[in-house]
Amino acid sequence: MSNHLYNTLIAPHASSTAPFLTRDNAPDLSFANFAGMAARMAHVLVANGLTPGDRVVVQAPKTIKMVALYIATIQAGGVFLPLNTAYTPDEVSYFIGDATPRIIVCDPAATTPASDATILTLAADGSGTLTQTLSDHPPAFDTVPRGPDDLAGLLYTSGTTGRSKGAMMTHENLASNARSLVEHWRITSDDVLIHALPIFHTHGLFVALNTSLIAGAKVRFMPAFDLDVIASALPQSTLMMGVPTFYTRLLADKRLTRDATRNMRLFISGSAPLLAETHLAFTERTGHHILERYGMTETNMITSNPYDGERRAGTVGQPLPGVEVQLTERDSDGVGMIEVRGPNVFKGYWQMPEKTAAELRDTGFFITGDLGEISPDGYLSIVGRAKDLIITGGYNVYPKEVEDVLNDIPGVVESAVFGIPDPDFGEAIIAAVVPGAELEVDALSQVVAEKLARFKHPRRYEIMSELPRNTMGKVQKNLLREMFAGDGGQIAHPTA
């Protein structure tokens, strides 16, 4: 048995001298040299006790060596578990306790919760205990056999109960989806991808990097989104994958022109809804129609607007080849629960058989929790969410997690957290708080900052005498959204 995902991603180009990763002020890294770096790192992981099926938790800066660590984990038969670098020690402690990793890789400056795992470090400059002995190992490794149904990744996604769920991604889940996207989006070795996404997320890791590896494409690797860097890269690039925030910020910059994007072949948007006005404004400015697609942590990519044909603003396109989408429990307007089945759909939730059974049907259909409608010619539109999920800047935030923190603060009687439309972040988080005593907003925000990652922080706090409720006593968040979405209040965005 071969290593299914490694053979899909790396083997076809493992000896190629063509450039894979290119960075500002640094030499290009060829596919062959990258494969060698990953092999050396696989030796390091095994030397530190990694055995097939073990989890490798990674909370480290975005670097080329972190990309190599991903491939090294797969090559050594492990399960890669990336964590958002904004997570607090309290949040990381839960993930480590639940996933029971063999190895934890973190920034040298990070405070790592106590565990039985081996701790290795990886800094933004690529230094650390993970990499200090790389040169002692050969640039070849006897790849550990793993089959299509073996786990390759474990990605945590928030739950409505506040407890995060680990989505188990198999080798074939990731390989099949990457192959489908390469074909659907026509990615080839002639492409040059602008990569400014984080790599602790499905979008930046499994979509952008896996497709580039399979196709043999060149990746312009950037630590984060930087308008100046991207503006200078556009004329020499062909492909960009981003979240809606990327496109709204580009539109606000006068350097985004038809001439600057003349060499670009494709702009792709995902991870959050792209406003139709953003889509149309981008086309008017550049002549390019942004291709919007739809996916989830548990499914990778589900649908995509076509490469050839109409890229319809306000929709996420049609199911990818081999993927089935159905709507259940439709209302009179044809809106129903989106369910999906295909080789891209995850294996289940880590150590949560009851949750898996509740969301993954015996027929293989996964209940997404999103509500949608399908046009007569097959275009899917996301019209809402059955759950209270907020998507801000491409990241998922469940209100209950924020509400639990707020409600524990002395003087808070109750709270309701919800999202309102925001042109830059897709949605902005608003917290309505009912006090039992005098409350200072600064005090609320300070406690939240200590407990939760930055992207989960409310952008605005509204002090209310009571929350709107229906006859059954349930808080009506739809009324709160209507109340504050159009009031013109200033929303402060994070700088990080």
Side-chain angles (χ1 to χ4, degrees):
M1 181 174 66
S2 63
N3 186 299
H4 187 67
L5 184 58
Y6 181 85
N7 284 359
T8 300
L9 300 180
I10 300 296
H13 306 287
S15 61
S16 172
T17 58
F20 170 42
L21 294 166
T22 179
R23 303 149 290 175
D24 286 342
N25 305 315
D28 291 351
L29 185 69
S30 70
F31 283 92
N33 288 339
F34 174 76
M37 180 190 295
R40 292 179 193 272
M41 208 169 285
H43 283 289
V44 172
L45 294 176
V46 171
N48 281 278
L50 188 75
T51 61
D54 286 342
R55 278 72 62 203
V56 177
V57 166
V58 183
Q59 189 189 34
K62 179 183 177 181
T63 62
I64 284 177
K65 287 190 170 65
M66 184 176 164
V67 181
L69 175 60
Y70 160 52
I71 297 301
T73 302
I74 301 302
Q75 190 173 14
V79 180
F80 193 70
L81 199 175
L83 295 179
N84 192 322
T85 51
Y87 282 142
T88 66
D90 282 351
E91 291 167 311
V92 173
S93 181
Y94 167 74
F95 299 127
I96 290 174
D98 191 59
T100 59
R102 176 75 65 177
I103 294 172
I104 299 170
V105 179
C106 60
D107 190 294
T111 301
T112 306
S115 76
D116 295 330
T118 298
I119 308 296
L120 299 173
T121 59
L122 180 62
D125 63 2
S127 64
T129 57
L130 174 70
T131 58
Q132 66 185 11
T133 63
L134 279 185
S135 60
D136 296 340
H137 298 284
F141 179 84
D142 291 333
T143 303
V144 174
R146 302 299 279 169
D149 291 331
D150 286 320
L151 293 191
L154 186 62
L155 271 68
Y156 278 82
T157 180
S158 296
T160 52
T161 62
R163 184 184 176 193
S164 294
K165 303 167 291 184
M168 299 186 289
M169 308 305 298
T170 69
H171 281 244
E172 178 60 7
N173 288 155
L174 301 182
S176 65
N177 206 235
R179 288 193 302 263
S180 180
L181 294 174
V182 166
E183 180 177 354
H184 193 73
W185 294 338
R186 314 279 178 88
I187 303 173
T188 72
S189 58
D190 293 328
D191 276 309
V192 180
L193 171 72
I194 292 175
H195 194 302
L197 294 161
I199 54 174
F200 51 71
H201 190 276
T202 299
H203 194 171
L205 184 65
F206 297 147
V207 178
L209 288 175
N210 283 1
T211 54
S212 297
L213 282 164
I214 288 178
K218 182 178 179 179
V219 177
R220 298 179 68 90
F221 198 72
M222 304 172 184
F225 182 88
D226 184 304
L227 262 176
D228 293 335
V229 175
I230 290 179
S232 66
L234 281 171
Q236 295 83 38
S237 304
T238 66
L239 181 63
M240 177 173 160
M241 299 184 192
V243 297
T245 303
F246 286 13
Y247 296 107
T248 58
R249 291 182 178 177
L250 280 169
L251 280 166
D253 193 289
K254 63 183 180 182
R255 289 171 293 184
L256 181 71
T257 63
R258 287 178 182 256
D259 187 60
T261 60
R262 67 188 181 282
N263 196 50
M264 290 293 294
R265 183 178 65 80
L266 184 60
F267 290 94
I268 299 169
S269 181
S271 297
L274 181 73
L275 296 179
E277 49 262 44
T278 302
H279 187 288
L280 298 173
F282 198 87
T283 299
E284 184 177 353
R285 179 85 71 85
T286 68
H288 288 276
H289 298 275
I290 297 173
L291 186 153
E292 189 172 10
R293 85 305 181 275
Y294 167 55
M296 300 182 70
T297 299
E298 294 95 336
T299 63
N300 293 301
M301 298 305 101
I302 300 169
T303 67
S304 172
N305 270 272
Y307 184 82
D308 292 322
E310 182 187 2
R311 298 176 193 169
R312 192 172 298 171
T315 79
V316 292
Q318 300 158 322
L320 289 165
V323 177
E324 299 174 72
V325 172
Q326 67 177 17
L327 299 183
T328 58
E329 303 175 16
R330 293 195 192 200
D331 63 17
S332 58
D333 295 322
V335 173
M337 177 69 71
I338 300 171
E339 300 187 13
V340 56
R341 179 170 66 183
N344 56 313
V345 175
F346 75 139
K347 195 172 186 175
Y349 292 115
W350 176 259
Q351 301 189 121
M352 287 186 174
E354 293 181 357
K355 192 65 176 173
T356 299
E359 298 190 19
L360 194 58
R361 298 186 188 277
D362 292 340
T363 58
F365 274 97
F366 171 63
I367 305 168
T368 66
D370 289 328
L371 300 173
E373 57 186 352
I374 299 176
S375 69
D377 54 353
Y379 282 74
L380 175 67
S381 297
I382 313 297
V383 301
R385 289 182 292 276
K387 304 170 185 176
D388 282 335
L389 175 67
I390 300 168
I391 302 179
T392 179
Y395 299 131
N396 292 353
V397 179
Y398 276 91
K400 189 176 187 302
E401 186 177 13
V402 186
E403 289 165 357
D404 286 346
V405 172
L406 290 171
N407 293 342
D408 282 342
I409 298 174
V412 173
V413 174
E414 63 178 340
S415 65
V417 173
F418 53 96
I420 64 172
D422 179 80
D424 199 17
F425 279 72
E427 289 183 294
I429 304 171
I430 308 298
V433 179
V434 177
E438 187 171 338
L439 282 176
E440 294 292 334
V441 168
D442 287 348
L444 297 176
S445 61
Q446 183 176 345
V447 173
V448 170
E450 293 171 357
K451 297 290 186 181
L452 298 173
R454 183 67 182 272
F455 67 87
K456 299 178 184 178
H457 297 183
R459 302 292 172 252
R460 198 168 80 216
Y461 293 86
E462 297 288 347
I463 306 300
M464 304 184 68
S465 59
E466 61 181 6
L467 300 177
R469 284 180 158 80
N470 63 17
T471 54
M472 299 299 292
K474 184 177 180 180
V475 174
Q476 294 181 291
K477 289 189 177 180
N478 60 318
L479 297 182
L480 289 170
R481 293 186 190 98
E482 293 172 6
M483 191 181 305
F484 296 111
D487 65 359
Q490 183 63 36
I491 297 171
H493 292 135
T495 56

